[in-house]
């Protein structure tokens, strides 16, 4: 007998009692071959997340290069650099808003494919930029594509995945986003003897040559490289099926049956699963009315998903990633800041891999607890280190992020040698590890699992909108807070939020391990127990 979602007894799950689910042995026999096709469809979709992760941290090596640029049209001031770093989140919020319509209008798969248009256009604008407006517009378009895919890909993956591997597959969007970020860090890693290649367009002025020195790949070519995953995604997704649940919701039953049969394999017995999905879709109208939205079984999972997205951003993940090298530049660190950023990216990738392998074993809530506790300890440590620890000497004798250019272009007069200066790197690694094992991938997975089918398209877009508006506010205000109060204050705030996340996980988050989407929805619909129990 399975564990209840929120401490309720098993009889509360009165879900499709007329036909028992396949036994574990039967599920195993149906297993590996069919899942290979699910894995292929998932890989095709999450390439959009690779591009999203790549675009998110594009500014990390590029801002230092542009601050050195001898071209006055491209040389960034501190204010311009902050807009270049944060405007991505505004585009992502707009992408989430559009997903509220496109997710149900075009379907999950076509919405993901549509995101390739603004993504490719954004990278092209940044690759050929000859003014600040092209950089900002390109950054906004890639953000729009990222927000659209962030809302559509988790829903698509959760709707095509069998319950037994949905946790692992649900972690792949975050995994690919991390891999995209790590790829950007690797390609843009600073090296004093690196050489730069010929420009991708004739409009690139030779005065930019010096600004590319030290990058393994010049900043324009970093944008060109971002086009590759987008093109591969389009090609692969054109051969993948749409979500069977979406097809059934549009009355395309025969297509839905064919899609499910393709995903599960020719030898799989899909009748019970298909009937389960079909019965759930038939019980629901195609459109959600405002009166229905006030029903607890509708608004409660939506509120949980929204609060998880809001609290996830308040942990500080986006400003920390966007200004990662700048933060290391403004603290006394033993290793070069660009090396620290690359190491943190590698740790993030490893941590998401661990989460993907353990999510269906340990459960969602256990990982969320570990994640929030780790981030609390890391943020508190960073705040204390900045407040009480050694300061990096700078030429003007002042200290901290507020007194140096955004990307730390002013080099310290002396390199710190004490092993105490490893604390910022270790604490940041702990923060990224904690985030990547829980509040990173699981919030996206739970969003796609607990949202009711009728509201899934609109509500997932709303979650992304809330998430990225919060990210924009944090990213834009981060430097203002640092300038006014010091770098330690944001970290203390993030630590306080992580303590709230611990309480929220214990009180409000359901355990969905091993449940089908229909069983999860039936639990919220039953209303026979207090929701917070």
């Amino acid at each position: 007998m399975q564990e209840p979602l929120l401490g309720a007894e098993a009889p509360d799950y009165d879900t499709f009692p007329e036909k028992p689910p396949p036994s574990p042995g039967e599920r195993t026999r149906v297993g590996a071959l069919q899942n290979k096709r699910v894995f292929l469809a998932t890989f095709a979709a999450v390439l959009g997340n690779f591009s999203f992760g790549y675009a998110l941290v594009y500014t990390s090596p590029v801002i230092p290069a542009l601050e050195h640029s001898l071209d006055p049209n491209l040389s960034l001031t501190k204010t311009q650099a902050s807009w270049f770093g944060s405007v991505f989140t505004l585009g992502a919020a707009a992408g989430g808003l559009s997903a509220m319509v496109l997710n149900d209008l075009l379907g999950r798969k076509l919405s993901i494919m549509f995101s390739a248009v603004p993504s490719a256009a954004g990278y092209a604008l940044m690759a050929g930029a000859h003014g600040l407006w092209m950089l900002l517009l390109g950054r906004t378009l890639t953000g729009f594509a990222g927000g659209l895919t962030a809302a559509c890909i988790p829903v698509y993956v959760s709707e095509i995945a069998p319950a037994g591997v949905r946790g692992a597959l649900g972690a792949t969007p975050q995994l690919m986003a991390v891999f995209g970020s790590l790829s950007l860090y690797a390609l843009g890693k600073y090296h004093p003897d690196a050489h730069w290649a010929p420009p991708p367009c004739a409009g690139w002025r030779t005065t930019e040559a010096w600004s590319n020195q030290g990058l393994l790949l010049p900043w324009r070519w970093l944008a060109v490289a971002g086009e590759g995953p987008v093109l591969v995604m389009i090609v692969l997704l054109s051969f993948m099926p749409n979500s069977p649940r979406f097809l059934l919701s549009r009355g395309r039953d025969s297509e839905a049956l064919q899609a499910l049969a393709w995903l599960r394999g020719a030898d799989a017995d899909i009748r019970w699963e298909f009937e389960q999905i079909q019965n759930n879709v038939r019980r629901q109208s195609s459109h959600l009315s405002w009166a229905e939205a006030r029903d607890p079984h509708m608004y409660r999972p939506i509120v949980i998903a929204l609060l998880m997205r809001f609290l996830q951003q308040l942990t500080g993940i986006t400003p920390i990633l966007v200004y990662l090298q700048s933060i290391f530049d403004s603290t006394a660190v033993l290793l070069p800041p660009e090396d620290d950023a690359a190491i943190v990216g590698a740790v993030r990738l490893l941590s998401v891999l661990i989460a993907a392998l353990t999510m269906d074993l340990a459960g969602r809530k256990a990982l969320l607890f570990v994640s929030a506790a780790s981030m609390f300890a890391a943020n508190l440590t960073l705040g204390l280190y900045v407040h009480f620890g050694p300061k990096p000497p700078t030429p003007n004798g002042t200290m901290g992020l507020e007194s140096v250019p955004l990307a730390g272009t002013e080099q310290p007069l002396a390199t710190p040698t004490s092993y105490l200066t490893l604390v910022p790197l270790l604490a940041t690694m702990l923060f990224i590890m904690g985030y990547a094992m829980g509040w990173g991938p699981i919030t996206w997975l739970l969003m796609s699992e607990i949202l009711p089918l009728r509201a899934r398209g609109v509500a997932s877009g709303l979650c992304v909108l809330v998430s990225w508006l919060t990210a924009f506010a944090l990213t834009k205000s981060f430097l203002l807070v640092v300038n006014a109060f010091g770098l330690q204050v944001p970290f203390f705030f993030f630590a306080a939020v992580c303590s709230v996340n611990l309480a929220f996980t214990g009180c409000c988050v359901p355990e969905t391990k091993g449940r089908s989407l229909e069983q999860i929805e039936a639990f919220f619909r039953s209303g026979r127990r207090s929701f917070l129990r």
Side-chain angles (χ1 to χ4, degrees), residues 86-351:
S86 61
V87 75
F88 179 91
T89 58
L90 284 182
L97 188 63
S98 68
M100 296 172 65
V101 177
L102 296 178
N103 227 342
D104 289 326
L105 181 64
L106 299 180
R108 290 51 159 145
K109 188 187 85 165
L110 289 180
S111 296
I112 299 169
M113 296 178 70
F114 175 78
S115 71
V117 176
S119 182
Y123 282 126
L125 279 169
M126 289 189 289
H130 52 75
L132 178 63
W133 71 270
M134 295 182 71
L135 291 172
L136 295 180
L137 180 58
R139 184 93 170 125
T140 303
L141 286 174
T142 54
F144 180 91
L148 182 57
T149 56
C152 300
I153 291 175
V155 174
Y156 178 75
V157 171
S158 71
E159 290 187 348
I160 67 173
V165 295
R166 195 174 62 243
L169 293 183
T172 55
Q174 182 73 12
L175 177 64
M176 289 298 285
V178 172
F179 191 64
S181 297
L182 184 59
S183 299
L184 188 281
Y185 286 139
L187 291 174
K189 184 180 180 298
Y190 179 87
H191 191 284
D193 299 321
H195 299 288
W196 51 274
C201 64
W204 187 22
R205 292 178 172 86
T206 57
T207 54
E208 294 179 27
W210 191 78
S211 69
N212 284 315
Q213 288 181 353
L215 293 180
L216 292 182
L217 198 64
W219 64 269
R220 291 187 186 272
W221 281 107
L222 287 175
V224 173
E227 302 276 12
V230 177
L231 298 177
V232 176
M233 179 191 73
I234 284 290
V235 172
L236 289 180
L237 270 181
S238 63
F239 296 100
M240 300 298 114
N242 213 323
S243 160
R245 289 172 174 84
F246 169 77
L247 294 172
L248 280 171
S249 70
R250 291 296 178 266
R252 295 151 64 179
D253 292 23
S254 60
E255 291 181 56
L257 183 60
Q258 291 174 2
L260 189 62
W262 187 92
L263 289 165
R264 300 296 181 260
D267 298 329
D269 184 1
I270 62 171
R271 289 174 297 174
W272 181 82
E273 183 179 4
F274 184 76
E275 290 176 8
Q276 189 182 33
I277 299 171
Q278 192 175 48
N279 291 339
N280 188 47
V281 171
R282 285 175 177 172
R283 280 199 299 267
Q284 304 183 56
S285 61
S286 57
H287 298 287
L288 181 67
S289 66
W290 283 109
E292 291 173 317
R294 292 195 294 269
D295 192 307
H297 90 269
M298 280 289 176
Y299 74 73
R300 283 173 174 168
I302 294 174
V303 169
I304 286 180
L306 285 172
L307 286 175
M308 288 197 76
R309 301 300 307 144
F310 179 66
L311 289 173
Q312 183 208 49
Q313 287 298 332
L314 287 183
T315 62
I317 182 62
T318 300
I320 287 176
L321 288 178
V322 169
Y323 301 123
L324 184 59
Q325 187 170 322
S326 304
I327 291 170
F328 285 137
D329 273 330
S330 63
T331 55
V333 290
L334 184 62
L335 299 177
E338 59 274 4
D339 288 346
D340 288 336
I343 291 172
V344 168
V347 169
R348 189 177 171 210
L349 178 63
L350 177 62
S351 301

Side-chain angles (χ1 to χ4, degrees), residues 1 76 107 131 158 185-186 194 205 211 213 266 271 306 311 377 381 399 413 418 460 501 516:
M1 184 177 293
L76 298 182
S158 71
Y185 286 139
R205 292 178 172 86
S211 69
Q213 288 181 353
R271 289 174 297 174
L306 285 172
L311 289 173
T381 300
M399 311 291 182
L413 292 177
S418 170
S460 62
N501 289 7
S516 71

